[in-house]
Amino acid sequence: MAQDLKQLPAWTALAKHAGAMREVLMRDLFARNPGRFRRFSLRLGEHLLLDYSRNRVTEETMRLLYDLAAARNVAARARAMFAGERINITEGRAVLHTALRNRGNQPVLVDGQDVMPAVNAVLERMRDFVGAVHDGRWRGATGKRIDTVVNIGIGGSDLGPRMVVEALRADRKPGMRPFFVSNVDGADIGWVLAEANPETTLFVIASKTFTTQETMANAASAREWLAGKLGEGAVPNHFVAVSTNEKGVTAFGIDARNMFGFWDWVGGRYSLWSAIGLPIALAIGFEGFEALLCGAHAMDRHFLEAPPDENLPLTLGLIGIWNANFLGFPAVAVIPYDQGLHRFAAHLQQVDMESNGKAVGLDGRAPGVATGPVVFGEPGTNSQHAFFQLIHQGPVPVPVDFIAPLESRKPMGRHHELLLANMLAQGEALMRGKTEVEVRAELATQKISAAAIEALAPHKVFGGNRPSNTILMKSVDPYCLGALTALYEHKVFVQGAVWGINSFDQWGVELGKQLAGDILEAWKALDPGTESESLVELVGRAQQKGRG
Ligand code: F6P
C-alpha cells in the first residue's frame, strides 16, 4: 500500500503542481490577493488561530492536498483511532489518548468494553489525592505538609508533563515546587535532592512499563536518600507511582493503593492526559488539569467534525507534507514566542520524531517518500540570536511554526508587544526576503565605495520565499495549551496516515537499550584491571565482550 503512494493520482498531481509552484513567489501571491491572510487562516473558536498564508500554496495546492488526504483515508483512519480499533498493528494495541480527555463521556469501546468508567475512576482518584496534598490531608512521615513534588520519569513520562508544568507557571499553586528528573546522569537527581527537604518532598515515579533503566535507577537513588534521612518506614508517605505495571510498582515497594494506573492503549508520548499528568495536577490543581483536558477534547471534536478546509490539524499536517515531500524541505523549526513554552519543542520532538521517524510502512515495505521531518526549536526571541541565520540564509529552507499567545500571563511593561513584533517580523522577513536590487539601493545610501557595495551585496541578499505558519493562541492557559498540544498530536497522525506508517510504535529505540544492557552486564563481569586502565579502554573491552 505505502509503496504505491507515489503512483497515486493525488500524489502525482501534487508533484506536477509543485513543479509549477517552485518559481512562484509568496510576495507576488500576497500582492495579488490582499485577502490572502483571511483566506488561508483557520480558527478553533476564540482559542487558536492557524495562519498558513505564508506558505507557497494556492487554492489549487490546497485542493490537491485535501484530495490526497481523502485518497489516503485520513478521516476514516482518525475515526478508527477514536473508536478504539487496534491501529497500532505492530503492538496489537488501540490508540486512545483521546479517551483520556473525552469530556463528553461517550462510551469508547475496546473489545466491546467501555474504557470510560476506568478512565473516570482514575481521574477521581487523582482529584482526591491532589486535593489531599494541597489541603494537607496527605502529609510527609513527620507530619509536615508536602511542598515539593519530584517527578521521576523519562521520555513521555517526563517531556509532556514537564512542558505543561513549565508553560502553566502562572497557574501554579502557591508554595508548590515542581521538579523533574529524567536523565540517568546522577547529577540530575543529585542536584534536585540537594535542594529538597525529605520531610516535605513527594516523589512521583512515572513509568508506563516500570522497567525503564533510567527511571528505575533514579527512583532507587531517591528512595535510598529518603530512607537514609527518615527511615524505611517513611517511604509510603513520600512515594507514589504512575504506571501500567502494578507488579513492578509493588516490587519496588510502593503500595498499589498509592499507584495511579493507565493502560497499554496510551502511548508514552501521548500520555500526559493520563495519570502521567499527576505532576501537572499537583502543580496547578485538578481543575486546571481538567481545563487542559477540555481544550484537548475541543481539538479532538474539531479534528473529527470540521470539514477538511476548516480543519486545523488536517491542514497543518498537509502543509507539512507539501513542504517536506513536494518542496523538499526536510526539517521543521517550532518557535514559541512565549518563555513558558520553552519545553514545547522538546515535547514535540518526541511526539513527532518518535511517531513518524520511520522508514517502513504499515505493509512492511518502504513508503518510498521522505517521512518524519527533523523537528527542533527554541523560544523566540532567543532563537533569533542563535540559529535563525541558517533559517534566513541557509541553503535549504527550514519551514517554521511560530506560536504566540495574544495575552501574556505575566505582563511586564511593553515586553509582550516587543515579543509579538519580533515574531511577526521574522515571518514577514522569511516570506519577503531582500532582493539584490533592494540591497544595493540600501547600500547606496551609505557612505561606502562602489567596490565595497559590490563585495557586500551578495552577503546581504535574503532569498526569501521561505514558508512559515503562525499559530496564535488566546493565552497560554490550560485550555488553549490543551488544544495546542492536541493540534500537534493530530498533525502527526495526519502525516503518518498519509505516509502509511504506524505512528504508534517505537522499535527504533530498542536496539540501543538492549546493547546498553549487554554492555552493562559485560562491564560488571570485568575485572576493573589495573589502575592505569582508562575508562575508554574499559568500555572498549566491555563492548567487545557485549558483541560476543
Ligand atoms: O525509549 C522510548 C520510550 O519507550 C518512550 O516511548 C517512553 O515514553 C519512554 O521510553 C519511557 O517509558 P516508560 O514510561 O515505560 O518508562
Side-chain angles (χ1 to χ4, degrees):
M1 158 189 162
Q3 209 164 32
D4 306 326
L5 183 53
K6 277 168 103 172
Q7 261 67 58
L8 271 185
W11 191 278
T12 52
L14 274 160
K16 188 161 167 241
H17 174 68
M21 287 300 291
R22 244 174 229 117
E23 304 310 317
V24 170
L25 295 178
M26 282 188 263
R27 269 183 181 221
D28 296 342
L29 295 177
F30 273 98
R32 280 207 297 272
N33 179 6
R36 185 172 167 83
F37 159 72
R38 270 184 198 289
R39 167 59 191 91
F40 295 107
S41 54
L42 302 174
R43 283 171 179 275
L44 179 79
E46 294 305 303
H47 302 285
L48 282 189
L49 176 134
L50 165 66
D51 165 16
Y52 63 100
S53 61
R54 289 195 188 99
N55 280 282
R56 232 180 278 175
V57 297
T58 60
E59 300 279 350
E60 192 187 353
T61 322
M62 296 315 298
R63 185 179 58 73
L64 293 171
L65 285 168
Y66 293 126
D67 285 352
L68 175 65
R72 300 300 282 169
N73 297 318
V74 173
R77 289 188 61 75
R79 286 194 296 274
M81 172 174 75
F82 278 75
E85 285 181 31
R86 293 182 187 272
I87 63 165
N88 175 356
I89 55 166
T90 61
E91 295 179 311
R93 290 176 181 167
V95 175
L96 274 179
H97 44 284
T98 51
L100 302 166
R101 57 211 193 197
N102 173 16
R103 307 309 287 164
N105 237 337
Q106 302 89 339
V108 179
L109 305 183
V110 175
D111 297 336
Q113 188 93 31
D114 183 9
V115 301
M116 289 315 297
V119 167
N120 291 329
V122 174
L123 284 172
E124 280 316 303
R125 286 192 55 226
M126 287 170 68
R127 182 199 300 278
D128 287 350
F129 177 69
V130 168
V133 170
H134 288 161
D135 65 24
R137 279 176 291 130
W138 179 289
R139 290 182 184 238
T142 59
K144 293 204 171 142
R145 288 172 79 129
I146 298 297
D147 62 12
T148 302
V149 174
V150 181
N151 189 77
I152 296 183
I154 198 166
S157 300
D158 166 73
L159 289 162
R162 190 196 288 245
M163 177 279 283
V164 173
V165 167
E166 291 288 314
L168 300 179
R169 203 177 170 133
D171 299 287
R172 210 173 273 179
K173 289 272 171 200
M176 288 303 284
R177 292 195 311 159
F179 288 95
F180 287 82
V181 170
S182 53
N183 201 330
V184 76
D185 178 349
D188 201 4
I189 183 91
W191 286 116
V192 169
L193 295 181
E195 272 193 55
N197 172 358
E199 291 182 280
T200 59
T201 297
L202 176 74
F203 293 95
V204 177
I205 312 301
S207 174
K208 179 175 169 178
T209 54
F210 228 75
T211 56
T212 304
Q213 188 194 58
E214 294 91 329
T215 302
M216 294 301 104
N218 281 322
S221 297
R223 194 198 150 117
E224 199 180 309
W225 174 82
L226 189 106
K229 302 275 184 195
L230 303 180
E232 196 59 38
V235 169
N237 293 60
H238 295 268
F239 280 81
V240 296
V242 180
S243 187
T244 59
N245 175 2
E246 187 176 322
K247 244 170 123 183
V249 169
T250 43
F252 177 82
I254 296 177
D255 194 311
R257 280 171 303 183
N258 295 336
M259 167 183 155
F260 298 85
F262 60 112
W263 305 273
D264 71 354
W265 40 260
V266 182
R269 53 198 175 272
Y270 300 94
S271 65
L272 74 89
W273 321 101
S274 71
I276 289 289
L278 189 64
I280 301 173
L282 284 164
I284 67 168
F286 193 77
E287 291 68 30
F289 183 64
E290 277 185 312
L292 184 83
L293 300 183
C294 287
H297 179 61
M299 184 56 76
D300 292 344
R301 300 311 311 167
H302 168 89
F303 180 44
L304 277 181
E305 291 160 11
D309 60 354
E310 291 173 26
N311 199 305
L312 276 85
L314 181 69
T315 304
L316 191 61
L318 291 172
I319 290 287
I321 298 256
W322 171 248
N323 285 329
N325 295 115
F326 297 98
L327 299 182
F329 308 149
V332 177
V334 178
I335 313 293
Y337 278 68
D338 181 272
Q339 189 54 30
L341 288 175
H342 73 108
R343 296 296 293 168
F344 190 72
H347 170 59
L348 216 59
Q349 283 170 5
Q350 190 197 15
V351 170
D352 199 320
M353 296 200 276
E354 203 175 74
S355 296
N356 286 344
K358 289 159 193 171
V360 63
L362 286 161
D363 57 3
R365 297 184 295 168
V369 300
T371 57
V374 173
V375 179
F376 68 102
E378 279 289 320
T381 58
N382 299 2
S383 46
Q384 290 174 205
H385 300 273
F387 53 78
F388 262 61
Q389 165 60 41
L390 178 143
I391 294 194
H392 284 288
Q393 288 187 313
V396 180
V398 178
V400 180
D401 285 356
F402 294 106
I403 302 172
L406 290 174
E407 295 159 17
S408 168
R409 302 287 311 276
K410 185 77 179 151
M412 293 285 287
R414 293 193 61 207
H415 283 249
H416 200 60
E417 283 166 42
L418 284 170
L419 186 71
L420 293 191
N422 267 282
M423 181 189 79
L424 296 171
Q426 292 301 320
E428 196 59 15
L430 286 169
M431 184 275 285
R432 240 196 258 170
K434 201 188 251 186
T435 63
E436 191 171 340
V437 173
E438 288 166 337
V439 168
R440 284 177 183 277
E442 197 175 276
L443 288 172
T445 65
Q446 297 166 14
K447 289 195 177 88
I448 51 174
S449 67
I453 291 179
E454 205 56 40
L456 261 181
H459 299 275
K460 293 196 146 215
V461 169
F462 287 67
N465 218 20
R466 298 191 167 212
S468 66
N469 296 306
T470 305
I471 297 171
L472 293 176
M473 49 205 294
K474 191 164 165 285
S475 77
V476 183
D477 58 30
Y479 188 97
C480 290
L481 183 60
L484 177 77
T485 308
L487 166 66
Y488 275 95
E489 289 179 351
H490 293 321
K491 172 209 160 166
V492 167
F493 175 88
V494 166
Q495 298 191 334
V498 169
W499 289 322
I501 56 183
N502 179 4
S503 301
F504 301 103
D505 60 11
Q506 56 284 316
W507 300 108
V509 300
E510 294 303 323
L511 181 59
K513 283 187 195 173
Q514 192 186 321
L515 291 182
D518 293 351
I519 290 171
L520 206 59
E521 278 312 302
W523 198 334
K524 274 190 221 153
L526 284 180
D527 169 5
T530 64
E531 270 175 28
S532 66
E533 188 160 37
S534 75
L535 181 64
V536 176
E537 280 161 355
L538 249 182
V539 172
R541 279 213 286 138
Q543 274 175 331
Q544 201 60 44
K545 212 161 178 210
R547 275 181 217 129

